[in-house]
Amino acid sequence: MKVAFVGLGNMGGGMAANLVKAGHAVNAFDLSPEALTRARDNGCATFTSAREAVVGVDAVVSMLPNGKIVASVFENDILGHAPTGTILLDCSTIDVGTSRSVTAAAVAAGYEMVDAPVSGGIAAANGGTLTFMVGGTDAAIARAQPILAAMGKAVIHAGASGAGQAAKICNNMLLGASMIATCETFAMAEKLGLDLQTFYDISSKASGQNWSMTSYCPVPGVGPTTPADNDYQGGFATALMLKDLKLAMEAASLVDADVPMGLRAAELYEKFDAAGKGGLDFSAIIQTLKD
């Protein structure tokens, strides 16, 4: 297939490269010259605008920073410029309302569209092992499946339009809260005099076991290799976790959901981000809990 890929940041760059590896012809666009250079090095054809990139394609994949940008790019550069009937896939993490309104506009203009936010981080984006949570009709998801499969290990139909975004923000609210709980537990274990590797060996096989501990341990030298072993560089930035938690708080407010742990996680990550730590992996919040 001929695929336009709009948004070649930390996640999108690797995703576009994996589409090329899978045999798709990729038209790539990003505002960053450096991102375009990397895309060319990975076998993509590059363009100076999204509008140019979507001409004559079979599919469009977007990976953009926020809902306002997604709405603008689709309204101004994709709808009416990509061939009618093109399958559209938005892999950005945005609010549910914007996702649904963009999809409605796309359908009205003669396109099929899915919202397909991802889980897995930069390493999974580069390695083609992302998990996609997808909202849309059965027909649209069937068309999107081969494109998503080229970039990930799992494609899960979450429900109708917007359900992918809803699943993503619920998942990341749980992740943010559980990471803080994991961090404070290791910080307390250390102050109680426990050897942290020994504590990991115990808790990872006991009822406290969780993904933040066993797959993404926030302690250097404990468990599998994680950003903690690289001074918390790479991985999933604190600023992005905060963005997702704010989306979760907005969604909770709209449906009157009681989320005290999610709210507290958002408050702690906001404080950590305000201290200039937004570029560090979100597990670096253990630094404040140890202090």
Side-chain angles (χ1 to χ4, degrees):
M1 297 176 70
K2 191 171 188 179
V3 182
F5 204 109
V6 180
L8 304 167
N10 289 333
M11 298 291 290
M15 293 164 68
N18 283 317
L19 287 174
V20 174
K21 291 175 184 177
H24 300 293
V26 178
N27 291 356
F29 170 71
D30 194 277
L31 292 173
S32 164
E34 292 81 7
L36 290 175
T37 297
R38 288 193 296 270
R40 282 194 295 272
D41 291 344
N42 288 326
C44 300
T46 57
F47 292 79
T48 57
S49 71
R51 189 175 297 186
E52 292 175 340
V54 303
V55 173
V57 299
D58 304 300
V60 177
V61 180
S62 56
M63 190 62 157
L64 298 166
N66 58 56
K68 184 177 180 179
I69 293 173
V70 169
S72 176
V73 168
F74 274 85
E75 179 181 356
N76 298 315
D77 299 307
I78 296 176
L79 302 184
H81 300 285
T84 303
T86 299
I87 180 67
L88 309 177
L89 305 84
D90 181 37
C91 295
S92 319
T93 297
I94 63 174
D95 62 284
V96 175
T98 297
S99 179
R100 287 174 175 164
S101 66
V102 170
T103 297
V107 171
Y111 300 89
E112 289 185 299
M113 183 170 179
V114 300
D115 51 288
V118 307
S119 178
I122 297 171
N126 292 335
T129 58
L130 292 167
T131 294
F132 289 91
M133 297 153 265
V134 193
T137 65
D138 290 341
I141 290 174
R143 291 186 61 196
Q145 173 74 30
I147 299 167
L148 297 173
M151 301 183 289
K153 65 179 181 181
V155 179
I156 302 170
H157 189 178
S161 173
Q165 298 295 350
K168 173 63 184 289
I169 60 177
C170 287
N171 179 78
N172 278 24
M173 182 177 72
L174 178 58
L175 174 61
S178 66
M179 177 56 78
I180 290 172
T182 299
C183 288
E184 67 184 14
T185 299
F186 272 103
M188 185 172 77
E190 185 173 35
K191 290 180 179 181
L192 289 169
L194 290 171
D195 175 78
L196 294 187
Q197 179 62 56
T198 300
F199 174 68
Y200 173 90
D201 292 341
I202 294 168
S203 194
S204 64
K205 297 176 179 64
S207 55
Q209 187 276 333
N210 64 85
W211 187 90
S212 292
M213 173 185 290
T214 55
S215 296
Y216 214 86
C217 189
V219 180
V222 176
T225 301
T226 68
D229 298 300
N230 189 35
D231 293 325
Y232 301 99
Q233 301 298 316
F236 186 53
T238 290
L240 295 177
M241 173 53 79
L242 178 58
K243 169 199 165 186
D244 289 357
L245 287 169
K246 286 181 175 180
L247 289 174
M249 294 307 99
E250 177 185 335
S253 177
L254 289 173
V255 297
D256 196 25
D258 189 18
V259 289
M261 299 300 290
L263 178 61
R264 184 58 178 149
E267 291 170 348
L268 290 171
Y269 275 110
E270 187 156 30
K271 184 177 179 180
F272 193 53
D273 180 69
K277 306 295 187 179
L280 296 179
D281 182 75
F282 78 111
S283 64
I285 200 166
I286 194 174
Q287 296 170 344
T288 62
L289 296 166
K290 289 177 70 175
D291 292 341

